[in-house]
Amino acid sequence: MKISYNWLKQFIKTDWNSEETSALLTDLGLEVEGVEKYQSVKGGLEGIVVGHVLTCVQHPDADRLKITTVDLGTGTPVQIVCGAANVAAGQKVPVATIGTVLYDANGEAFTIKKGKIRGQESHGMICAEDELGLGDSHDGIMVLDDALVPGATAATVFKIENDEVFEIGLTPNRADAMSHWGTARDLRAGMLQKGISVELITPSVSNFRVDKRTLKIDVDVKESKLAPRYCGVTISGIEIKPSPAWLQNRLKAIGLTPKNNVVDVTNYVLHDLGQPLHAFDAAKINGKVIVQTLPAGTKFVTLDDVERTLHEEDLMICDEKGPLCIAGVFGGKKSGVSESTNSIFLESAYFNPVSVRKTAKRHQLNTDASFRFERGIDPTITEYALKRAALLIQEVAGGEITSDVVNFYPKKIEDFTVFLNFSKVAKIIGQEIPKDTIKKILVSLDIKVNSVSDAGLGLTIPSYRVDVQREIDVIEEILRVYGYNNVAFSNKLNATVFNAPRNEDYKIQNTIATQLNSQGFHEMMANSLTTASYVDLSEQLNPSNNVTILNPLSADLSTMRQSLLFSGLEAVSYNINRKNADLKLFEFGKTYHKYLAGYEEKKHLSLFLTGNRNAESWTAAQKPSDFFLFKGYVEGILSRLGLSKFQNIPTTLDVLSEGISLSIGNDVLVSLGVVKKSILKQFGIKQEVFYADFDWDLILKKLSTKIKFVEIPKYPEVRRDLALLIDENVTYSSIYNLARQTEKGLLKNVDLFDVYQGQNLAEGKKSYAISFTIQDSAKTLTDVQIDKIMSKLQKTFETELGAVLR
């Protein structure tokens, strides 16, 4: 939000510089993010002075040039060569002196220098209005008032306005501060807290009166819940033309482009008081004004020439023939003010914030008016702002007030009542603030103190403070005006120590996150809102289970996700498209489902692996990530959690082209594998992606609070290797399980370290080289014991698997 300092000073008189004011506004919660300089004419006409043309003769070597001598008020006239046809002796003209910086039509700067033009010296430039930024004409030089004194600065002659503009990062709750008046209210409260008494100057509307009652337009509000207050008045005999300089400068300073005098006034009052207004061409209103909703599918063309399809809940301003305006959001093409307009119906209203917000989102319209209406404006100033705007329109466009003010307000919007407990204030803030100071702060914020007791205050909060409806909100108001910097720091730090359960989710989550980080994974956080059509990529996801958003920001954020896969693939695709193709990602997140019995949230951990194992380097060849590497990461997580007795079973997850699930009994802890190419294609991913989905809620239930440990063995371990020739359909897991069953006591580890299949082996055969680690924690093993174990293992493999020792 932009706030003009000159404009602000119309409400509150202060001689503070912009830095002091910025600091106070920031302390009050209206954070000033920057201050920009504004000049009504770029460069401020610095270096431009009034010159008196003493002589003007023809240039001897150029038909279109004149040689002039000009008095600049310094006592010594200067010679200037001028190409304007209208230059003549005796004129008062604007002169750009040597060193002056001017700006061309594109805003590019150029400097006036001493030079020669066709052999004649020239010490400056006599300027046209477009060269100074005062207009568009280049027909000739500007001729000024003859009464002006040579040497007078052009900035004073043309009343150049210099301003400073605050860029305020307004928080969504501060609807009351979305105007210069609202900002001035806060500034006054802050200054009063500092002991500086200032008056808040409110523009007077005492001169408002009905000139004649010749153009009455009735108003029929059919939707009073959506339009609790609606005011209007007609103004006739106006002339549509450009606004005066003061009004244009106010709008330009805050980044608005002036349109015409009537539209500029409505924009001015919006930023002045925070009340949006709309002007209709009265000649284009058929019969009366009707505030209502229309059937779904009704077509309506807005001011931007876009035909929009209305929703049945969109509140519309209509006449007896059809819609004129989307209430509180955007005007209509056919009813807008144009150059031929000579009478208007001026609207000022309070519309339901929720209704305006939904309509603006539906039509993807974000206007200055909707921005304010959807946050909640002040319902008490509706008529006052209307009269203020009507008087300004009369001032800049002429005309007469030709109707009484229509003021539909069947049910007053009540102020909020709150009881403030003094002890609660001290507890929240951390120190006692004097009761008189509290009352003074509240009064400065227009909060009425109805009753005073030893316990606290009975308060009435003005209805425009939609963010102050509870006791805690009032305490926040007191604190921000009192000043966070004025709250004393304690020399003590108090902390509560409590006996937390060992298996708290966040602790376990942090443990696993740390492990994954150490393995090169990066944590991602995706939006729980996603695209509804993603469920169509999996037959196991049902569209009827989608949890849909009633008022979505967009179609891509309309549904709560049923799976972490698709948001993860969005992140993978985003990174790959930016040349970051080697990825290790993980996310702790929730999925959301809607069932007949109600809604369900489930927590998951997802892992994504794609690209090469290591970064490109001259020390090692590139090697792509594979399933076994990924499976190792997955099993490492379960092992870290103490879940080691799980089984490998074929996965049923249909988003995987191949993979496995790890389960305990009938409970699947995690499914992992390669994502189907058809799904990857939907995200523009052309490389293999490995995905694992952990059922985190189930895993937490399976965890044990018991700590398992074994003493470090004192005696050495022994390794023996076997090279087994087996059928190609025999899996390593069957060898592993047989070995464990055969020797349960001393066999500590089984590992496959080489696989061979090809030349010199019979068809249908393969060779596994397997290592066996044997250890006795109570004594040193003898060769006899070791040979006995290895013989037993070999015999078992030969009998059960048909293995042959190579």
Side-chain angles (χ1 to χ4, degrees), residues 485-688:
N485 296 335
N486 295 324
V487 177
F489 287 95
S490 173
N491 293 325
K492 296 189 300 181
L493 177 64
N494 298 324
T496 302
V497 179
F498 66 101
N499 185 18
R502 175 176 171 77
N503 282 351
E504 279 198 284
D505 183 11
Y506 79 93
K507 291 182 178 179
I508 299 168
Q509 184 172 313
N510 287 344
T511 297
I512 298 305
T514 300
Q515 176 172 318
L516 288 169
N517 286 148
S518 68
Q519 293 171 333
F521 280 82
H522 295 280
E523 185 170 9
M524 59 171 282
M525 296 178 68
N527 200 329
S528 293
L529 296 174
T530 188
T531 303
S533 60
Y534 280 159
V535 298
D536 298 333
L537 300 176
S538 169
E539 294 182 1
Q540 294 172 333
L541 300 178
N542 193 332
S544 65
N545 297 137
N546 274 341
V547 179
T548 56
I549 306 302
L550 296 177
N551 186 26
L553 294 173
S554 68
D556 292 337
L557 299 172
S558 61
T559 307
M560 305 294 283
R561 60 183 176 181
Q562 289 194 47
S563 169
L564 270 61
L565 171 63
F566 308 115
S567 53
L569 290 178
E570 286 178 343
V572 171
S573 174
Y574 183 90
N575 278 273
I576 291 174
N577 290 338
R578 285 154 182 80
K579 309 300 181 183
N580 184 21
D582 303 330
L583 299 170
K584 293 179 178 179
L585 303 175
F586 73 96
E587 179 186 11
F588 287 97
K590 290 184 177 181
T591 59
Y592 306 85
H593 301 79
K594 180 180 69 175
Y595 300 110
L596 292 176
Y599 294 94
E600 180 186 68
E601 288 185 20
K602 292 189 69 177
K603 192 165 187 177
H604 294 256
L605 165 62
S606 63
L607 263 63
F608 294 87
L609 178 68
T610 186
N612 293 315
R613 293 185 179 213
N614 304 308
E616 187 175 9
S617 172
W618 64 274
T619 60
Q622 288 281 60
K623 188 175 182 181
S625 301
D626 57 32
F627 176 79
F628 299 103
L629 173 67
F630 189 57
K631 181 170 178 281
Y633 290 136
V634 172
E635 290 182 345
I637 292 173
L638 297 180
S639 176
R640 183 69 180 84
L641 296 173
L643 300 172
S644 57
K645 295 182 179 179
F646 50 80
Q647 298 83 41
N648 294 350
I649 59 174
T651 185
T652 59
L653 205 59
D654 71 347
V655 295
L656 303 178
S657 58
E658 55 181 304
I660 61 171
S661 293
L662 307 182
S663 65
I664 295 179
N666 294 324
D667 296 325
V668 175
L669 303 178
V670 55
S671 296
L672 65 146
V674 183
V675 181
K676 285 182 176 178
K677 289 184 178 179
S678 59
I679 295 177
L680 296 179
K681 185 178 180 180
Q682 298 296 318
F683 295 86
I685 300 172
K686 299 178 181 179
Q687 62 191 53
E688 197 172 46

Side-chain angles (χ1 to χ4, degrees), residues 128-150:
E129 66 176 38
D130 66 329
E131 293 167 332
L132 298 177
L134 295 172
D136 299 324
S137 174
H138 195 69
D139 294 337
I141 60 167
M142 291 185 73
V143 180
L144 307 178
D145 189 341
D146 194 52
L148 294 174
V149 178

Side-chain angles (χ1 to χ4, degrees), residues 49-52 70-78 149-152:
V49 298
V50 175
H52 182 201
V70 183
D71 177 11
L72 300 180
T74 61
T76 305
V78 298
V149 178

